[in-house]
Amino acid sequence: MWKFYDRIINQIPDDLDACIDYIHVGPMWTIVTAGKYAGIAVTVNEQNKQIPDMNHLLHMPLKEAAAFCKSWDFIKASFGTAALNAYVNSPENTAARICKNDTNGFDDYRKLAAGKKVGIVGHFINLERFLLDSDVYVLERRPEPGDYPDPACEYILPEMDYTFITGSAFINKTLPRLIHLSKYPIIIGPSFPMSSLLFQYGVQELNGYMPLTITAKNAPAIGSGQIHFSRFGKKVKIKSPCKRYDDISFRHAKL
């Protein structure tokens, strides 16, 4: 199962001259910088633990820091994912693959999923407002009225025509299984690496975030939610080169 993570981590070159020079673990977002690279991931702290001092991880090579995304301590995994995203989601590795001439992404999904069954793993209120013509099933770890608890993914997702998966599933290690269960998985949010390797596992679209001007100066305000991260980067969409689900010859590549 770790092969899924290791393949993405190994996209960072061993000889990359970039070390962690700043870490901020906020109540909402975790941010790291390493030279010209900056990355963000949601802070997963389900037990509301006190945020530890992570300055002992400063000066660590970026690739070594990214490996913390495999940690079962989700605060450390948030740090590792932010480090991984700093490289994988950087303009030099992402810009050339962005879909061109996209209109409002959520409006595109409304048209795509009209009359279909749609699973949403994690609440995306803005997205849900667009899916008025779809039969929507929301699955949540902390379900609200009308939601399904996340164990229901095993039963519900295989029946869905489309599934939108929160990027935080990369941090809590549920993403590989969620992809495997889904007919047409779309990963959404700023918290996952927009690696083309995900297409080899059946992902159809990556709707994520490319940091541009996140720095140590604005990180605390972003991490606390005082300033929205979107002001310091670009929401981007990258589509699988496979046109249809049936075209994926290596569907559910070995994890």
Side-chain angles (χ1 to χ4, degrees):
M1 185 68 76
W2 289 124
K3 182 178 179 181
F4 176 89
Y5 286 83
D6 290 338
R7 292 184 69 200
I8 300 174
I9 295 167
N10 285 333
Q11 289 189 277
I12 301 177
D14 290 332
D15 59 353
L16 182 71
D17 185 19
C19 295
I20 301 297
D21 52 38
Y22 178 79
I23 304 169
H24 176 75
V25 183
M28 293 185 65
W29 304 102
T30 295
I31 295 164
V32 303
T33 64
K36 67 178 180 178
Y37 300 102
I40 186 171
V42 68
T43 301
V44 178
N45 187 12
E46 296 175 347
Q47 296 177 327
N48 294 317
K49 298 190 298 184
Q50 182 175 353
I51 302 298
D53 184 349
M54 303 186 75
N55 285 333
H56 64 287
L57 300 176
L58 290 171
H59 313 302
M60 177 179 289
L62 186 61
K63 185 170 185 176
E64 185 178 345
F68 276 87
C69 72
K70 297 167 61 175
S71 174
W72 288 109
D73 180 332
F74 290 159
I75 294 177
K76 291 181 180 178
S78 299
F79 159 76
T81 301
L84 180 61
N85 292 347
Y87 180 81
V88 177
N89 294 358
S90 64
E92 68 184 65
N93 292 308
T94 302
R97 298 181 289 131
I98 297 173
C99 297
K100 306 299 182 183
N101 301 321
D102 275 338
T103 56
N104 184 299
F106 289 166
D107 191 51
D108 291 342
Y109 293 144
R110 178 184 63 81
K111 298 172 184 176
L112 178 73
K116 303 293 186 179
K117 289 184 176 181
V118 177
I120 302 179
V121 181
H123 263 293
F124 292 96
I125 300 301
N126 291 334
L127 171 62
E128 292 164 39
R129 289 171 181 164
F130 278 86
L131 299 177
L132 299 178
D133 301 323
S134 303
D135 186 10
V136 176
Y137 297 73
V138 176
L139 300 110
E140 261 287 353
R141 182 150 295 187
R142 298 175 180 174
E144 300 173 5
D147 296 347
Y148 292 87
D150 57 357
C153 289
E154 296 286 333
Y155 301 84
I156 291 176
L157 294 190
E159 305 299 322
M160 299 294 102
D161 297 296
Y162 300 96
T163 301
F164 294 89
I165 304 171
T166 174
S168 62
F170 183 86
I171 298 171
N172 67 25
K173 316 301 185 291
T174 59
L175 184 60
R177 181 59 180 167
L178 293 171
I179 294 171
H180 185 83
L181 290 168
S182 303
K183 292 179 180 177
Y184 194 106
I186 299 168
I187 309 177
I188 190 168
S191 294
F192 70 96
M194 291 183 291
S195 168
S196 296
L197 290 172
L198 292 168
F199 297 139
Q200 297 183 16
Y201 296 91
V203 175
Q204 287 293 284
E205 293 185 21
L206 307 174
N207 194 322
Y209 177 73
M210 179 173 64
L212 296 173
T213 58
I214 291 179
T215 65
K217 183 177 179 178
N218 54 39
I222 297 170
S224 66
Q226 292 177 304
I227 302 177
H228 200 273
F229 62 82
S230 60
R231 290 176 51 183
F232 305 96
K234 183 177 181 180
K235 295 180 181 179
V236 298
K237 183 191 295 184
I238 303 172
K239 294 184 179 180
S240 169
C242 302
K243 300 299 183 183
R244 303 186 313 275
Y245 167 81
D246 291 339
D247 290 338
I248 304 174
S249 60
F250 37 54
R251 172 66 177 166
H252 297 159
K254 189 173 181 180
L255 299 173

